[in-house]
Amino acid sequence: MTGPVLITGGSRGIGAATARRLAADGRDVVITYASRAADADQVITDCRAAGVTAHARQVELTRPGAVDELFGWLDAEVGPIGALVNNAGVVSPGAPVADYDSERVRRVMEINVVGAFAMATAAARRMAHDHGGAGGVIVNVSSRAAVRGGAFEYVDYAASKAAIDALTTGLGLELARQGVRVAGVRPGVIDTEIHAPGRLERVAPEIPLGRAGTAEEIAAAIAWLLSDDASYVTGTTIDVGGGR
Ligand code: NAP
């Protein structure tokens, strides 16, 4: 696989761990972030120290045109990407569905679903053989919540990740003869800033392996899905949830 790996939400958490892991493996990376430029700069510094080419770009996924601008810049300045990790995502505050308003649901769908679809669409137009592309891999970051439902916490988030699982299945089938594999990873409870204060400590004892996972453990699964070792894996999503 040639060309850098584009990772959305690469400034911290799972995206940052993935960038650092891929750089250590010798892959060039491009990360996006929403607002935390200093965190993104640190990730880029660490990746370059591993000897690869690394760039960071601000992309607010709720802003119309942001994804087109990102790919316009990539086309002009960086060249074709070899892979996309569709990772950026948000959760909503914990609440039962009966307490939701439509603005809350719209926000999580706009970032987690519409944003991820826009990224996948732009990548497919460049990677697919029918579009003149050289092929590639798309890894979508879902969640165990897609299967568990997120009851009393964030059913809207769970639904957004179920949509991502369908994107992985459907796009994987569409691109199967186009040189592009599409796969997903469903993390369980991973120690990042995405959780409300105290949630990790509350949930960890319920996890069969007895602890939250690390961002690096998800990065390892993503790195495998991106690699040629996963050459027969497409249209499917793997669970990395400590048995949860
Ligand atoms: P995180 O630590 O909160 O990081 C989120 C990343 O997404 C940051 O880089 C952030 O950029 C970016 N982002 C947030 N809102 C954005 C927006 N509106 N537009 C563009 N980028 C935006 O999250 P994480 O825990 O690493 O999660 C990464 C992915 O894994 C998400 O899709 C999440 O749903 C999924 N996941 C996480 C867990 C878990 O337990 N942590 C479990 C299952 C699935 P800034 O730094 O600039 O804000």
Side-chain angles (χ1 to χ4, degrees):
M1 194 200 323
T2 55
V5 181
L6 172 62
I7 305 160
T8 63
S11 42
R12 53 200 168 92
I14 292 167
T18 301
R20 291 187 173 107
R21 165 62 193 257
L22 294 173
D25 290 347
R27 292 297 306 264
D28 295 337
V29 295
V30 177
I31 66 168
T32 75
Y33 62 96
S35 60
R36 292 178 48 169
D39 289 344
D41 280 348
Q42 185 59 55
V43 174
I44 291 309
T45 300
D46 294 347
C47 291
R48 287 178 180 159
V52 303
T53 300
H55 301 282
R57 195 84 180 164
Q58 197 264 343
V59 178
E60 168 52 61
L61 284 171
T62 59
R63 190 172 68 75
V67 170
D68 287 343
E69 284 171 25
L70 167 68
F71 276 85
W73 168 77
L74 286 166
D75 292 342
E77 306 286 339
V78 178
I81 58 167
L84 165 67
V85 181
N86 231 341
N87 165 76
V90 294
V91 295
S92 320
V97 174
D99 291 350
Y100 292 3
D101 59 31
S102 58
E103 194 42 52
R104 165 195 167 115
V105 179
R106 191 172 293 118
R107 177 175 171 272
V108 75
M109 293 297 171
E110 195 163 355
I111 297 168
N112 294 6
V113 182
V114 179
F117 263 80
M119 292 294 304
T121 298
R125 284 181 185 153
R126 286 158 177 86
M127 291 176 176
H129 290 335
D130 278 355
H131 288 269
V137 186
I138 297 173
V139 174
N140 294 317
V141 180
S142 174
S143 170
R144 284 291 299 148
V147 181
R148 293 170 55 88
F152 302 110
E153 288 195 296
Y154 35 55
V155 176
D156 49 357
Y157 170 78
S160 77
K161 294 303 188 178
I164 289 306
D165 287 356
L167 169 65
T168 298
T169 306
L171 186 62
L173 296 177
E174 286 187 4
L175 298 182
R177 306 285 178 98
Q178 295 293 320
V180 183
R181 291 189 298 109
V182 185
V185 56
R186 266 186 229 104
V189 178
I190 308 304
D191 187 358
T192 74
E193 291 179 42
I194 204 168
H195 299 281
R199 181 173 188 269
L200 278 179
E201 295 71 15
R202 181 166 45 83
V203 173
E206 301 166 7
I207 299 167
L209 282 186
R211 63 171 177 84
T214 66
E216 289 73 21
E217 288 172 313
I218 304 305
I222 293 170
W224 178 73
L225 287 171
L226 290 172
S227 77
D228 288 342
D229 283 347
S231 55
Y232 205 55
V233 178
T234 199
T236 195
T237 299
I238 61 172
D239 292 312
V240 188
R244 184 172 160 86

